[in-house]
């Protein structure tokens, strides 16, 4: 087996691989040669792009040897991550739009539809924005979180909205918001904290997708909790309170 050190000239110029193989490993009795390249950790897109360059070089330079490209578990997970990320993002947008339409129909107003979309989509945008700023990349674990966690954050925001609607039937805006802080938000806080503590067990896993799912779930639940505690009541007070007014 031929080993190539990451960062070497052979890794940057695929045409040198065959020459190295012929010089070091080839002999008249050898009919087959397996070349394995160890690469440093990188994003799924970079790994797929490297594999595409290798395949293109093999097609453009047939030579005297029959070269067949292979694969690895990392490359398989890279393709799976990109595919899941695209499908999860599309499914997430469709789900959020459908939920927002349903809430708008129930409350009979486009303001509540917009409110639900903002409060449930913002935590996901912030979480993946932090991932990009920190230099991370979307992987299989982080892609799966999109569809898995949306039900939790939507459930909490809808619970607050329905309670606020009930309070507004008999109380003023200020009194209704105060009851949210005393009766509803503590329950949301305890349930979110319980899920965060439960997910910390996954941070101890050596299997990378499990670690990533747990980490991103914790981050998104925490951001969604802040949105439910501060963003949602603030928007209700500033712009959307009129949607809950009930005639005496």
């Amino acid at each position: 087996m031929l080993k190539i050190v990451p960062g070497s000239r052979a890794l940057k110029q695929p045409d040198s691989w065959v020459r190295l193989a012929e010089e070091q490993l080839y002999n008249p009795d050898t009919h087959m040669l397996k070349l394995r390249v160890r690469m440093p950790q990188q994003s799924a897109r970079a790994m797929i792009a490297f594999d595409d360059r290798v395949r293109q070089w093999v097609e453009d330079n047939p030579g005297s040897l029959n070269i067949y490209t292979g694969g690895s578990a990392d490359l398989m997970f890279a393709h799976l991550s990109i595919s899941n990320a695209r499908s999860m993002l599309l499914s997430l947008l469709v789900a959020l739009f459908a939920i927002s339409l349903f809430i708008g129909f129930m409350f009979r107003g486009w303001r509540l539809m917009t409110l639900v979309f903002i409060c449930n989509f913002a935590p996901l945008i912030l979480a993946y924005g932090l991932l990009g700023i920190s230099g991370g990349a979307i992987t299989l674990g982080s892609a799966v979180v999109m569809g898995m966690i949306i039900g939790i954050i939507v459930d909490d925001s809808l619970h607050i909205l329905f309670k606020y609607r009930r309070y507004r039937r008999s109380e003023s805006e200020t009194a209704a918001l105060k009851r949210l802080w005393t009766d509803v938000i503590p329950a949301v806080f305890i349930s979110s904290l319980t899920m965060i503590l439960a997910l910390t067990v996954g941070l101890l896993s050596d299997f990378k997708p499990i670690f990533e799912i747990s980490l991103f779930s914790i981050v998104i639940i925490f951001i969604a909790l802040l949105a439910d505690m501060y963003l949602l009541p603030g928007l209700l007070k500033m712009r959307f309170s009129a949607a809950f007014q009930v005639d005496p």
Side-chain angles (χ1 to χ4, degrees):
M1 182 180 295
L2 177 63
K3 295 183 179 181
I4 299 177
V5 179
S8 63
R9 182 173 177 269
L11 186 60
K12 299 179 181 179
Q13 298 182 0
D15 57 343
S16 63
W17 297 356
V18 176
R19 185 166 59 254
L20 286 172
E22 291 177 346
E23 293 175 356
Q24 298 183 24
L25 298 177
Y26 184 76
N27 61 71
D29 297 330
T30 301
H31 301 287
M32 187 174 295
L33 175 68
K34 181 179 180 180
L35 180 66
R36 177 177 295 177
V37 179
R38 294 186 179 275
M39 301 178 62
Q41 185 175 2
Q42 54 187 321
S43 65
R45 290 184 180 275
M47 187 174 296
I48 293 175
F50 176 80
D51 182 65
D52 292 338
R53 291 198 303 271
V54 172
R55 293 178 185 274
Q56 186 63 42
W57 184 90
V58 170
E59 294 178 1
D60 296 340
N61 303 272
S64 59
L65 299 178
N66 295 324
I67 302 177
Y68 303 95
T69 57
S72 65
D74 291 337
L75 186 60
M76 178 187 68
F77 277 109
H79 283 282
L80 191 59
S81 298
I82 296 297
S83 177
N84 277 357
R86 292 173 178 172
S87 60
M88 286 290 184
L89 180 59
L90 178 60
S91 301
L92 176 66
L93 291 174
V94 172
L96 282 177
F97 185 70
I99 293 171
S100 301
L101 285 178
F102 178 73
I103 296 302
F105 174 77
M106 290 185 61
F107 288 99
R108 300 179 182 179
W110 63 269
R111 291 184 178 183
L112 271 302
M113 180 180 69
T114 307
L115 178 64
V116 170
F117 188 85
I118 292 175
C119 291
N120 292 299
F121 195 62
L124 296 173
I125 293 296
L126 289 176
Y128 286 97
L130 292 175
L131 173 64
I133 293 175
S134 62
I138 295 179
T139 60
L140 178 62
S142 59
V144 170
V145 173
M146 290 186 186
M148 183 185 73
I149 213 69
I150 184 63
I152 297 175
I153 60 179
V154 168
D155 180 71
D156 289 340
S157 60
L158 291 185
H159 181 65
I160 293 176
L161 288 176
F162 277 106
K163 289 294 185 179
Y164 182 75
R165 183 191 187 189
R166 178 182 299 177
Y167 298 154
R168 287 289 280 132
R169 291 175 179 173
S170 59
E171 301 177 6
S172 64
E173 174 187 326
T174 303
L177 289 173
K178 185 176 180 180
R179 287 197 64 182
L180 284 181
W181 274 99
T182 57
D183 299 342
V184 181
I185 291 181
V188 174
F189 176 82
I190 293 174
S191 63
S192 299
L193 181 61
T194 302
M195 286 184 288
I196 289 175
L197 293 176
L199 287 167
T200 55
V201 178
L203 299 178
L204 304 176
S205 175
D206 294 330
F207 188 49
K208 189 175 181 180
I210 298 298
F211 174 83
E212 292 173 345
I213 289 175
S214 302
L215 177 62
F216 276 87
S217 297
I218 291 173
V219 172
I220 294 176
I221 291 175
F222 178 73
I223 297 176
L225 175 62
L226 295 180
D228 290 334
M229 293 176 62
Y230 299 103
L231 179 61
L232 183 55
L235 291 176
L236 287 173
K237 186 176 181 180
M238 293 172 55
R239 294 273 184 180
F240 299 91
S241 182
F244 292 93
Q245 289 182 355
V246 180
D247 297 332

